Amino acid sequence: FLDMDKFKLLNDTLGHHHGDIMLVEVANRLKFSVREADSVARIGGDEFVLLLEKVGESINEASQKAALVAEKIRAALAVPYHILNHVHHSTPSIGVRLFGADDNSVEDLLKHADAAMYEAKNGGRNQVRFFDPDLQKVLESRAAMEADLRRALDAGQLQLHYQPQCDVERRVIGVEALIRWLHPERGLIPPLEFIPIAEESSLILDIGCWVLNTACRQLAEWQKQPSMRHLQVAINVSAHQFNTHDFIKSVQTAISAHGVDATALKLELTETVIVNDVEAVKAKMLVLKAFGVKLSLDDFGTGYSSLAYLKQLPLDQLKIDRSFVRDIATDPSDEVMVKAIIDMANNFHLQVIAEGVETGEQLNFLKLHGCEAFQGYLFGRPVPASDLNFMVEG
Ligand code: C2E
Ligand code: CA
Ligand code: CA
Ligand code: CA
């Protein structure tokens, strides 16, 4: 299992065909690293599966050979990519699983290779990891966490914090609702530790519904307060949730149940929403737009997004991912990327907001290139609703 980090398919974004060229280059490097009889498959975005047959006579020989091949592939993919006068870097993470006695199905094989790949990522990327039986324990603890999380939802242990979004004058124009889990023993658990687990089951739908209703209840409160009634509230919607049949209905129900002005509600969607059926996604978006709801494309630039798709979608906003903002002052390719995103947003008459703004230097760069909305620690961290009043009223 192989995942390319920072492998941004830059198609269109830079006005050339960086993404396609990079993809061909990756495919070539993979092809030259394995034998003719081996299989290489791209399973989506920047993830690949390689199947090497008959790597050795014994388990020992097979694992040694697999380690050699994996290391060879890692090294080959880590060499910088020179594409149309730009240099792109990538740090692949590789997980290896030998098809042995313990896996009795192809599903297990893939699941274990995937788990090893996540270990490689967590271990700092640009690494090769073998599946370790101890990882089985990790898988089990994830299952336990899922059960815990379901109870947490019922027991009211989930909370929303709100992070300010500001304009060029540093006025708070809106907030993003970000979920937290207040665990009785472990304290405040950040979403990246439990949302991915929830995403693997229908739990994400229940959580998503809770978020929608909790944010609308809060929005209704704010809309009663003169100093807060101008705020936009953005919530994160998982692709899984967006693609359910009753998503539209759940949004409509939340809006009317809490009596909120829907034009203040913004949904942050990621590119994963639109990889499938663009027409269906577009139709859904148009219904939401008709309610007055705003749509923002989150984590923009990190996935496979083709401009051809984007142009068709009724979006209001593009959100520049914080991985680009972080390095704008030091990484020339991120600088190019950020400029391109802002230009593109302007051409499409989309508002652009940058997330993860931490320094005055980053802010100045963004302002200079025409970005007009910002979110990040420079303006304020996510806080409970009650603490937000002070930030807005100054
Ligand atoms: P995201 O949507 O990209 O949210 C922005 C993340 O960046 C938040 O992390 C926020 O606290 C963090 N952040 C904001 N400003 C800065 C900054 O200046 N510097 C740095 N280093 N970080 C900053 P958080 O709250 O840990 O959330 C992580 C992710 O979890 C979110 O990424 C989102 O994908 C997911 N998430 C959060 N709440 C929800 C939710 O209610 N539903 C769903 N489906 N996902 C959620
Ligand atoms: Ca990836
Ligand atoms: Ca977001
Ligand atoms: Ca992001």
Side-chain angles (χ1 to χ4, degrees):
F1 236 97
L2 192 155
D3 184 291
M4 305 285 294
D5 178 43
K6 266 204 155 192
F7 174 54
K8 300 152 196 148
L9 290 177
L10 304 156
N11 265 359
D12 313 306
T13 315
L14 291 182
H16 304 294
H17 296 288
H18 288 233
D20 286 347
I21 297 170
M22 185 144 170
L23 192 57
V24 170
E25 179 61 26
V26 167
N28 270 327
R29 292 185 191 185
L30 285 173
K31 204 173 81 193
F32 286 117
S33 309
V34 298
R35 301 162 305 179
E36 189 95 23
D38 298 324
S39 314
V40 176
R42 171 164 164 247
I43 53 169
D46 57 358
E47 297 196 353
F48 297 82
V49 168
L50 279 81
L51 186 68
L52 311 185
E53 291 182 65
K54 301 201 181 68
V55 266
E57 294 297 327
S58 64
I59 290 276
N60 247 343
E61 189 194 347
S63 61
Q64 277 171 16
K65 286 230 175 104
L68 280 176
V69 177
E71 180 48 34
K72 190 166 119 191
I73 294 171
R74 188 207 56 75
L77 295 177
V79 175
Y81 296 76
H82 293 265
I83 298 169
L84 303 172
N85 297 326
H86 291 284
V87 182
H88 299 283
H89 298 269
S90 185
T91 49
S93 304
I94 302 181
V96 184
R97 175 59 170 169
L98 298 177
F99 195 44
D102 297 340
D103 286 327
N104 35 34
S105 70
V106 174
E107 284 76 23
D108 281 351
L109 178 71
L110 288 175
K111 201 167 87 191
H112 290 159
D114 188 39
M117 189 266 285
Y118 271 98
E119 280 300 297
K121 265 193 173 183
N122 291 337
R125 302 169 192 271
N126 207 3
Q127 295 194 6
V128 175
R129 284 289 173 88
F130 273 65
F131 179 80
D132 177 328
D134 284 349
L135 274 179
Q136 190 62 43
K137 294 195 195 102
V138 174
L139 296 179
E140 279 158 18
S141 84
R142 286 173 71 104
M145 182 137 178
E146 188 188 319
D148 246 20
L149 186 52
R150 194 169 280 286
R151 282 189 291 269
L153 177 62
D154 297 335
Q157 292 171 10
L158 298 184
Q159 298 183 343
L160 287 183
H161 282 190
Y162 298 87
Q163 185 177 31
Q165 299 184 330
C166 297
D167 66 9
V168 279
E169 256 98 53
R170 289 188 173 235
R171 285 181 301 232
V172 181
I173 48 176
V175 293
E176 177 180 4
L178 293 157
I179 197 168
R180 272 93 185 90
W181 177 2
L182 188 59
H183 193 284
E185 284 120 45
R186 296 175 51 195
L188 212 57
I189 307 181
L192 289 180
E193 281 184 37
F194 63 90
I195 290 291
I197 292 174
E199 292 268 8
E200 284 174 10
S201 71
S202 63
L203 192 51
I204 191 65
L205 303 180
D206 299 326
I207 292 179
C209 193
W210 177 86
V211 169
L212 182 62
N213 279 288
T214 307
C216 282
R217 187 175 309 122
Q218 185 59 58
L219 179 58
E221 281 300 309
W222 283 331
Q223 288 184 341
K224 284 184 217 141
Q225 301 171 27
S227 62
M228 308 294 276
R229 70 160 49 115
H230 65 287
L231 292 182
Q232 286 265 329
V233 173
I235 66 171
N236 292 284
V237 174
S238 90
H240 197 139
Q241 184 188 0
F242 183 86
N243 287 319
T244 55
H245 294 296
D246 53 3
F247 180 65
I248 299 263
K249 214 173 129 208
S250 63
V251 174
Q252 196 177 24
T253 308
I255 291 169
S256 58
H258 301 284
V260 294
D261 170 5
T263 59
L265 185 65
K266 189 184 290 170
L267 305 181
E268 292 194 2
L269 308 167
T270 58
E271 295 163 35
T272 48
V273 160
I274 47 174
V275 287
N276 294 323
D277 183 351
V278 193
E279 281 309 314
V281 169
K282 185 180 165 192
K284 223 172 219 187
M285 288 180 163
L286 286 172
V287 178
L288 292 164
K289 296 279 306 174
F291 297 162
V293 174
K294 304 282 188 298
L295 302 173
S296 177
L297 193 62
D298 204 358
D299 296 346
F300 187 69
T302 59
Y304 182 92
S305 62
S306 155
L307 253 203
Y309 283 165
L310 268 193
K311 264 192 260 189
Q312 299 175 44
L313 299 174
L315 295 165
D316 298 283
Q317 187 183 62
L318 285 188
K319 197 163 190 185
I320 307 176
D321 189 64
R322 72 170 189 274
S323 59
F324 299 108
V325 174
R326 187 181 52 217
D327 302 329
I328 29 183
T330 49
D331 183 339
S333 69
D334 283 341
E335 187 180 321
V336 172
M337 191 76 184
V338 168
K339 277 193 215 164
I341 295 174
I342 298 172
D343 282 349
M344 203 174 73
N346 289 338
N347 285 339
F348 289 164
H349 306 291
L350 297 176
Q351 196 208 30
V352 55
I353 181 165
E355 73 174 9
V357 183
E358 294 183 356
T359 68
E361 196 183 7
Q362 292 164 342
L363 176 63
N364 289 338
F365 178 95
L366 291 160
K367 272 190 189 167
L368 187 69
H369 292 97
C371 181
E372 291 179 342
F374 315 91
Q375 180 182 344
Y377 297 164
L378 184 65
F379 303 91
R381 297 200 173 233
V383 292
S386 51
D387 295 358
L388 199 80
N389 297 14
F390 302 104
M391 297 171 101
V392 175
E393 288 162 359

